[in-house]
Short mmCIF file of all heavy atoms in Angstrom, two decimals:
data_model
loop_
_atom_site.label_atom_id
_atom_site.label_comp_id
_atom_site.label_asym_id
_atom_site.label_seq_id
_atom_site.Cartn_x
_atom_site.Cartn_y
_atom_site.Cartn_z
N PRO F 205 86.45 103.31 104.62
CA PRO F 205 86.10 103.36 103.07
C PRO F 205 86.58 102.08 102.41
O PRO F 205 87.81 102.00 102.32
CB PRO F 205 86.82 104.61 102.64
CG PRO F 205 87.92 104.88 103.53
CD PRO F 205 87.37 104.42 104.82
N VAL F 206 85.71 101.19 101.78
CA VAL F 206 86.25 100.18 101.09
C VAL F 206 85.43 99.96 99.86
O VAL F 206 84.37 100.44 99.57
CB VAL F 206 85.89 98.86 102.09
CG1 VAL F 206 86.73 98.85 103.31
CG2 VAL F 206 84.48 98.72 102.41
N SER F 207 86.07 99.22 98.99
CA SER F 207 85.56 98.94 97.67
C SER F 207 84.32 97.91 97.73
O SER F 207 84.27 97.03 98.59
CB SER F 207 86.57 98.50 96.62
OG SER F 207 87.04 97.18 96.93
N LYS F 208 83.41 97.92 96.73
CA LYS F 208 82.40 97.06 96.65
C LYS F 208 82.91 95.61 96.41
O LYS F 208 82.36 94.64 97.02
CB LYS F 208 81.45 97.47 95.41
CG LYS F 208 80.36 96.46 95.07
CD LYS F 208 79.48 96.89 93.91
CE LYS F 208 78.50 95.81 93.56
NZ LYS F 208 77.70 96.08 92.52
N HIS F 209 83.91 95.39 95.70
CA HIS F 209 84.47 94.13 95.42
C HIS F 209 85.52 93.63 96.43
O HIS F 209 86.13 92.64 96.23
CB HIS F 209 85.05 94.08 94.04
CG HIS F 209 83.99 94.49 92.95
ND1 HIS F 209 82.93 93.69 92.68
CD2 HIS F 209 83.88 95.63 92.18
CE1 HIS F 209 82.23 94.22 91.73
NE2 HIS F 209 82.79 95.44 91.45
N GLY F 210 85.61 94.48 97.47
CA GLY F 210 86.67 94.13 98.38
C GLY F 210 86.13 93.75 99.84
O GLY F 210 85.26 92.92 99.84
N VAL F 211 86.31 94.47 100.76
CA VAL F 211 85.91 94.19 102.12
C VAL F 211 84.33 94.04 102.20
O VAL F 211 83.87 93.33 102.99
CB VAL F 211 86.45 95.11 103.16
CG1 VAL F 211 85.94 94.77 104.64
CG2 VAL F 211 87.98 95.08 103.02
N ARG F 212 83.65 94.92 101.45
CA ARG F 212 82.22 94.87 101.54
C ARG F 212 81.54 93.58 101.30
O ARG F 212 80.47 93.21 101.74
CB ARG F 212 81.56 95.97 100.76
CG ARG F 212 81.43 97.25 101.51
CD ARG F 212 80.45 98.32 100.81
NE ARG F 212 81.25 98.80 99.55
CZ ARG F 212 80.63 99.57 98.62
NH1 ARG F 212 79.25 99.68 98.62
NH2 ARG F 212 81.30 99.98 97.67
N LEU F 213 82.18 92.85 100.35
CA LEU F 213 81.55 91.56 99.95
C LEU F 213 81.69 90.41 101.08
O LEU F 213 80.88 89.60 101.33
CB LEU F 213 82.14 91.05 98.72
CG LEU F 213 81.70 91.94 97.47
CD1 LEU F 213 82.39 91.37 96.18
CD2 LEU F 213 80.28 91.91 97.29
N TYR F 214 82.93 90.49 101.75
CA TYR F 214 83.16 89.41 102.70
C TYR F 214 83.09 89.95 104.18
O TYR F 214 83.14 89.20 105.07
CB TYR F 214 84.44 88.63 102.40
CG TYR F 214 85.69 89.54 102.57
CD1 TYR F 214 86.26 89.85 103.87
CD2 TYR F 214 86.42 90.09 101.44
CE1 TYR F 214 87.38 90.45 103.97
CE2 TYR F 214 87.56 90.79 101.57
CZ TYR F 214 87.99 91.10 102.92
OH TYR F 214 89.17 91.82 102.95
N GLY F 215 83.04 91.21 104.36
CA GLY F 215 82.99 91.73 105.67
C GLY F 215 81.75 92.68 105.97
O GLY F 215 81.90 93.67 106.51
N MET F 216 80.55 92.29 105.38
CA MET F 216 79.39 93.03 105.51
C MET F 216 79.09 93.47 107.01
O MET F 216 79.03 92.69 107.89
CB MET F 216 78.21 92.34 104.90
CG MET F 216 76.98 93.10 104.74
SD MET F 216 77.03 94.47 103.59
CE MET F 216 77.22 93.40 102.00
N GLY F 217 78.92 94.74 107.12
CA GLY F 217 78.54 95.32 108.59
C GLY F 217 79.77 95.50 109.44
O GLY F 217 79.60 96.04 110.53
N THR F 218 80.98 95.16 108.88
CA THR F 218 82.22 95.40 109.60
C THR F 218 82.63 96.81 109.49
O THR F 218 82.78 97.49 108.39
CB THR F 218 83.32 94.45 109.10
OG1 THR F 218 82.91 93.15 109.27
CG2 THR F 218 84.58 94.68 109.99
N ARG F 219 83.03 97.41 110.66
CA ARG F 219 83.57 98.88 110.63
C ARG F 219 84.98 98.78 110.39
O ARG F 219 85.53 99.63 109.74
CB ARG F 219 83.28 99.42 112.00
CG ARG F 219 81.69 99.89 112.15
CD ARG F 219 81.55 100.16 113.56
NE ARG F 219 81.61 98.92 114.46
CZ ARG F 219 81.35 98.78 115.83
NH1 ARG F 219 80.85 99.86 116.35
NH2 ARG F 219 81.51 97.70 116.37
N ASP F 220 85.63 97.93 110.99
CA ASP F 220 87.10 97.79 110.81
C ASP F 220 87.53 96.52 111.49
O ASP F 220 86.75 95.95 112.17
CB ASP F 220 87.90 98.90 111.41
CG ASP F 220 89.23 99.14 110.91
OD1 ASP F 220 89.74 98.19 110.18
OD2 ASP F 220 89.84 100.14 111.24
N TYR F 221 88.78 96.06 111.15
CA TYR F 221 89.33 94.90 111.78
C TYR F 221 90.38 95.29 112.89
O TYR F 221 91.51 95.44 112.44
CB TYR F 221 89.80 93.81 110.87
CG TYR F 221 88.76 93.25 109.91
CD1 TYR F 221 88.62 93.98 108.68
CD2 TYR F 221 87.99 92.27 110.29
CE1 TYR F 221 87.57 93.47 107.78
CE2 TYR F 221 87.03 91.80 109.46
CZ TYR F 221 86.77 92.46 108.21
OH TYR F 221 85.79 91.92 107.26
N ILE F 222 90.00 95.48 114.08
CA ILE F 222 90.89 96.00 115.18
C ILE F 222 90.97 94.87 116.17
O ILE F 222 89.93 94.60 116.89
CB ILE F 222 90.38 97.25 115.77
CG1 ILE F 222 90.20 98.32 114.68
CG2 ILE F 222 91.34 97.72 116.88
CD1 ILE F 222 89.81 99.67 115.20
N THR F 223 92.12 94.32 116.29
CA THR F 223 92.32 93.15 117.20
C THR F 223 93.18 93.56 118.30
O THR F 223 94.33 93.84 118.05
CB THR F 223 92.80 91.93 116.53
OG1 THR F 223 91.92 91.50 115.61
CG2 THR F 223 93.07 90.77 117.48
N LEU F 224 92.88 93.57 119.44
CA LEU F 224 93.68 93.89 120.73
C LEU F 224 93.81 92.64 121.50
O LEU F 224 92.88 92.10 121.93
CB LEU F 224 93.08 94.94 121.46
CG LEU F 224 92.64 96.32 120.85
CD1 LEU F 224 91.94 97.28 121.83
CD2 LEU F 224 93.84 97.01 120.08
N THR F 225 95.11 92.13 121.59
CA THR F 225 95.39 90.93 122.34
C THR F 225 95.88 91.25 123.72
O THR F 225 96.53 92.23 123.84
CB THR F 225 96.21 89.98 121.63
OG1 THR F 225 97.52 90.60 121.46
CG2 THR F 225 95.72 89.68 120.17
N ILE F 226 95.61 90.48 124.68
CA ILE F 226 96.05 90.53 126.00
C ILE F 226 96.58 89.22 126.45
O ILE F 226 96.16 88.14 125.99
CB ILE F 226 94.97 91.11 127.02
CG1 ILE F 226 93.73 90.14 126.99
CG2 ILE F 226 94.62 92.46 126.74
CD1 ILE F 226 92.68 90.60 128.02
N GLY F 227 97.52 89.23 127.38
CA GLY F 227 98.07 88.01 127.94
C GLY F 227 99.22 87.43 126.88
O GLY F 227 99.92 88.22 126.34
N GLY F 228 99.16 86.13 126.84
CA GLY F 228 100.25 85.54 125.92
C GLY F 228 101.58 85.38 126.64
O GLY F 228 101.71 85.31 127.85
N GLN F 229 102.59 85.07 125.84
CA GLN F 229 103.93 84.82 126.43
C GLN F 229 104.83 86.07 126.26
O GLN F 229 104.78 86.85 125.45
CB GLN F 229 104.49 83.65 125.60
CG GLN F 229 103.69 82.39 125.67
CD GLN F 229 104.21 81.36 124.81
OE1 GLN F 229 105.34 80.67 125.01
NE2 GLN F 229 103.41 80.92 123.81
N ILE F 230 105.79 86.00 127.24
CA ILE F 230 106.97 86.97 127.05
C ILE F 230 107.94 86.29 126.08
O ILE F 230 108.54 85.18 126.28
CB ILE F 230 107.70 87.20 128.39
CG1 ILE F 230 106.70 87.88 129.32
CG2 ILE F 230 108.95 88.04 128.22
CD1 ILE F 230 107.28 87.95 130.75
N PRO F 231 108.20 86.96 124.82
CA PRO F 231 109.00 86.20 123.80
C PRO F 231 110.28 85.71 124.24
O PRO F 231 110.71 84.69 123.92
CB PRO F 231 109.04 87.38 122.74
CG PRO F 231 107.90 88.21 122.99
CD PRO F 231 107.67 88.27 124.45
N GLU F 232 111.07 86.48 125.03
CA GLU F 232 112.43 86.17 125.49
C GLU F 232 112.43 85.01 126.38
O GLU F 232 113.44 84.27 126.39
CB GLU F 232 113.03 87.43 126.15
CG GLU F 232 113.22 88.60 125.15
CD GLU F 232 112.08 89.40 125.03
OE1 GLU F 232 111.03 89.16 125.76
OE2 GLU F 232 112.04 90.37 124.13
N THR F 233 111.36 84.80 127.13
CA THR F 233 111.44 83.69 128.31
C THR F 233 110.32 82.65 128.10
O THR F 233 110.49 81.55 128.64
CB THR F 233 111.22 84.45 129.70
OG1 THR F 233 110.01 85.00 129.78
CG2 THR F 233 112.33 85.45 129.91
N GLY F 234 109.26 82.93 127.43
CA GLY F 234 108.16 82.02 127.26
C GLY F 234 107.28 82.01 128.57
O GLY F 234 106.32 81.25 128.67
N GLU F 235 107.59 82.98 129.55
CA GLU F 235 106.86 83.07 130.78
C GLU F 235 105.45 83.78 130.35
O GLU F 235 105.37 84.40 129.33
CB GLU F 235 107.48 83.84 131.84
CG GLU F 235 108.77 83.00 132.31
CD GLU F 235 108.35 81.68 132.90
OE1 GLU F 235 107.40 81.66 133.75
OE2 GLU F 235 109.05 80.69 132.46
N ASP F 236 104.49 83.66 131.31
CA ASP F 236 103.18 84.25 131.15
C ASP F 236 103.32 85.86 131.06
O ASP F 236 104.00 86.40 132.20
CB ASP F 236 102.34 83.95 132.33
CG ASP F 236 100.85 84.29 132.06
OD1 ASP F 236 100.53 84.53 130.76
OD2 ASP F 236 100.06 84.32 132.95
N ALA F 237 102.75 86.58 130.24
CA ALA F 237 102.83 87.96 130.06
C ALA F 237 101.70 88.74 130.72
O ALA F 237 101.67 89.84 130.68
CB ALA F 237 103.05 88.48 128.61
N TRP F 238 100.73 88.06 131.33
CA TRP F 238 99.58 88.62 132.06
C TRP F 238 99.93 89.55 132.96
O TRP F 238 100.84 89.25 133.90
CB TRP F 238 98.59 87.47 132.58
CG TRP F 238 97.22 87.98 132.85
CD1 TRP F 238 96.84 88.49 134.02
CD2 TRP F 238 96.16 88.01 131.78
NE1 TRP F 238 95.41 88.90 133.87
CE2 TRP F 238 95.08 88.60 132.61
CE3 TRP F 238 96.00 87.53 130.51
CZ2 TRP F 238 93.73 88.73 131.98
CZ3 TRP F 238 94.71 87.84 129.92
CH2 TRP F 238 93.60 88.36 130.61
N ASN F 239 99.36 90.81 133.05
CA ASN F 239 99.66 91.67 134.10
C ASN F 239 98.41 92.47 134.58
O ASN F 239 97.30 92.20 134.07
CB ASN F 239 100.70 92.75 133.58
CG ASN F 239 100.26 93.44 132.33
OD1 ASN F 239 99.20 93.90 132.20
ND2 ASN F 239 101.22 93.54 131.37
N ASP F 240 98.60 93.37 135.41
CA ASP F 240 97.40 94.06 135.95
C ASP F 240 96.70 94.93 134.93
O ASP F 240 95.35 95.01 135.04
CB ASP F 240 97.83 94.93 137.09
CG ASP F 240 96.61 95.56 137.97
OD1 ASP F 240 95.92 94.72 138.37
OD2 ASP F 240 96.59 96.77 138.12
N LEU F 241 97.24 95.44 133.96
CA LEU F 241 96.68 96.11 132.97
C LEU F 241 95.83 95.06 132.05
O LEU F 241 94.72 95.51 131.46
CB LEU F 241 97.69 96.76 131.99
CG LEU F 241 97.13 97.67 130.79
CD1 LEU F 241 95.98 98.55 131.26
CD2 LEU F 241 98.15 98.39 130.10
N SER F 242 96.24 93.89 131.91
CA SER F 242 95.37 92.79 131.23
C SER F 242 94.05 92.68 131.95
O SER F 242 92.97 92.68 131.30
CB SER F 242 96.11 91.50 131.23
OG SER F 242 97.43 91.58 130.91
N ASP F 243 94.05 92.63 133.19
CA ASP F 243 92.77 92.54 133.90
C ASP F 243 92.00 93.88 133.83
O ASP F 243 90.67 93.71 133.66
CB ASP F 243 93.10 92.38 135.43
CG ASP F 243 93.60 91.17 135.79
OD1 ASP F 243 92.91 90.08 135.29
OD2 ASP F 243 94.61 90.90 136.65
N VAL F 244 92.60 94.97 133.82
CA VAL F 244 91.82 96.37 133.61
C VAL F 244 91.10 96.28 132.18
O VAL F 244 89.91 96.69 132.09
CB VAL F 244 92.83 97.45 133.68
CG1 VAL F 244 92.17 98.80 133.16
CG2 VAL F 244 93.26 97.64 135.04
#
Side-chain angles (χ1 to χ4, degrees):
V206 293
S207 68
K208 175 182 177 181
H209 302 290
V211 179
R212 266 194 288 168
L213 292 180
Y214 64 80
M216 190 66 69
T218 300
R219 287 163 294 188
D220 200 350
Y221 296 97
I222 301 175
T223 300
L224 306 180
T225 63
I226 54 178
Q229 302 173 64
I230 298 173
E232 294 81 7
T233 65
E235 294 300 310
D236 189 21
W238 196 269
N239 58 43
D240 193 51
L241 181 52
S242 315
D243 285 317
V244 168

